[in-house]
């Protein structure tokens, strides 16, 4: 399992609001899974406003990554193992706001 | 994990980016007040805030238990840590995002302190239940102090 810092990644959005990052995933990905805050992705507990959208395209994973001083980044990383794990978990594929 | 005693209430302060000066001073004050009122206090903060706190309070009179912010949230997610009161400071969208995360992971009392230049604009992005303190404070902590004193009603 790779840590976020060690991933070969592309930053799709930087300094975005969390909402902007979610909207980007929903507008650009066909395969989307929704997770809750604290969900473990790339060895980190994801920070986010539920429901948190993660997009998949083959082995590419598109996900938000929030840092206190820099806002939310939307990151695209190729990682077959994590993509397969996400597909295997039976996650929600539709947005159900809590 | 809530600390060793069942009698003391445990408060956790979640501090984000320290770029707005008022956060450090008011959080030192709040930690002092919470401890003085008999609560156990943990500070969850990013590394910059922890460095500032260690320099400002070298003998740990006000902030003794400190933990990395993301590690603390991870512990909440793994259910190896909990608190009675969560108090979050937010002055930007990332702060609201962290607050929403803590709201999801912590079912108890949550006080959200919105401060800084955009405090009032941030209110509309808070769509989860919490007690909210809103003050456009950047350098002067007096307004925030007054509101925190009202919310917590410190014993004399």
């Amino acid at each position: 399992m790779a840590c976020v810092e060690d991933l070969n990644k592309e930053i799709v959005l930087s300094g975005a609001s969390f909402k902007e990052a979610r909207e980007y995933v929903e507008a650009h990905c066909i395969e989307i899974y929704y997770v809750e805050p604290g969900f473990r992705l790339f060895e980190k507990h994801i920070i986010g406003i539920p429901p948190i959208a993660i997009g998949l395209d083959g082995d590419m994973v598109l996900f938000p990554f929030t840092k206190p001083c820099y806002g939310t980044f939307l990151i695209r990383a190729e990682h077959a193992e994590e993509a397969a794990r996400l597909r295997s978990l039976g996650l929600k594929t539709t947005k159900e706001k809590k | 994990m809530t600390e060793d005693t069942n009698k003391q209430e445990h408060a956790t302060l979640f501090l984000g980016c320290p770029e707005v000066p008022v956060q450090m001073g008011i959080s030192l004050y709040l930690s002092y007040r919470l401890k003085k009122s008999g609560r156990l206090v943990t500070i969850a903060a990013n590394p910059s805030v922890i460095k500032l706190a260690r320099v400002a309070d070298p003998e740990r009179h006000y902030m003794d238990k400190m933990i990395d912010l993301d590690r603390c949230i991870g512990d909440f997610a793994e259910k190896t840590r909990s608190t009675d009161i969560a108090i979050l400071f937010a002055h930007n969208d990332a702060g609201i995002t962290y607050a929403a995360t803590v709201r999801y992971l912590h079912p108890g009392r949550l006080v959200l302190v919105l401060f800084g230049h955009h405090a009032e604009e941030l209110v509309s992005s808070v769509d989860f239940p919490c007690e909210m303190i809103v003050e456009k404070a950047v350098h002067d902590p007096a307004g925030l102090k007054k509101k925190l004193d009202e919310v917590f009603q410190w014993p004399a």
Side-chain angles (χ1 to χ4, degrees):
Chain A
M1 181 74 70
C3 183
V4 173
E5 284 82 3
D6 301 331
L7 289 173
N8 182 14
K9 58 189 177 287
E10 175 195 353
I11 295 174
V12 178
L13 296 177
S14 62
S17 71
F18 192 83
K19 184 171 176 242
E20 287 166 343
R22 182 198 290 130
E23 287 171 353
Y24 186 99
V25 172
E26 290 172 340
H28 292 83
C29 297
I30 294 169
E31 188 179 4
I32 301 170
Y33 295 98
Y34 291 95
V35 301
E36 305 297 354
F39 177 83
R40 206 167 169 82
L41 183 73
F42 294 117
E43 298 185 11
K44 292 272 189 196
H45 291 92
I46 201 162
I47 304 297
I49 299 169
I52 301 166
I54 299 174
L56 294 184
D57 182 1
D59 292 341
M60 300 296 280
V61 184
L62 188 62
F63 62 99
F65 187 65
T66 301
K67 299 300 287 179
C69 295
Y70 302 104
T72 297
F73 297 88
L74 190 64
I75 293 175
R76 181 184 286 125
E78 186 168 7
H79 202 282
E81 187 186 331
E82 195 68 331
R85 186 179 75 89
L86 287 163
R87 290 188 176 102
S88 72
L89 292 174
L91 299 168
K92 292 175 198 161
T93 54
T94 54
K95 186 160 52 175
E96 293 168 27
K97 194 151 170 50
K98 288 189 85 67
Chain B
M1 188 78 65
T2 301
E3 301 286 336
D4 51 358
T5 171
N6 293 323
K7 293 174 186 169
Q8 274 184 293
E9 200 171 42
H10 188 180
T12 304
L13 273 62
F14 294 83
L15 306 175
C17 177
E19 71 177 349
V20 180
V22 76
Q23 178 180 265
M24 199 69 244
I26 198 67
S27 58
L28 280 162
Y29 170 76
L30 180 59
S31 181
Y32 158 75
R33 276 299 207 172
L34 288 163
K35 286 179 73 172
K36 190 97 175 164
S37 63
R39 295 171 171 103
L40 291 163
V41 181
T42 299
I43 311 298
N46 76 350
S48 304
V49 175
I50 289 175
K51 281 182 199 165
L52 286 166
R54 285 187 176 150
V55 169
D57 183 19
E59 293 191 4
R60 309 272 185 101
H61 290 300
Y62 306 111
M63 294 181 164
D64 53 352
K65 293 183 171 58
M66 291 188 273
I67 182 172
D68 176 78
L69 178 62
D70 287 338
R71 185 179 155 203
C72 181
I73 287 176
D75 289 349
F76 272 74
E78 300 286 347
K79 302 193 187 307
T80 57
R81 181 183 294 273
S82 64
T83 192
D84 297 302
I85 313 173
I87 305 163
L88 287 104
F89 286 76
H91 67 89
N92 57 14
D93 185 81
I96 300 295
T97 305
Y98 272 84
T101 302
V102 173
R103 173 71 293 168
Y104 183 81
L105 299 172
H106 163 67
R109 185 178 182 192
L110 190 153
V111 179
L112 176 59
V113 181
L114 298 179
F115 66 103
H117 293 289
H118 308 292
E120 287 152 9
E121 297 156 42
L122 289 171
V123 172
S124 62
S125 58
V126 179
D127 66 351
F128 47 85
C130 63
E131 296 170 56
M132 220 182 318
I133 292 172
V134 184
E135 181 72 28
K136 208 172 171 177
V138 177
H139 296 98
D140 181 359
L144 273 178
K145 176 182 175 297
K146 187 172 178 229
K147 289 181 179 175
L148 285 165
D149 289 347
E150 285 168 4
V151 165
F152 284 99
Q153 302 273 314
W154 313 114

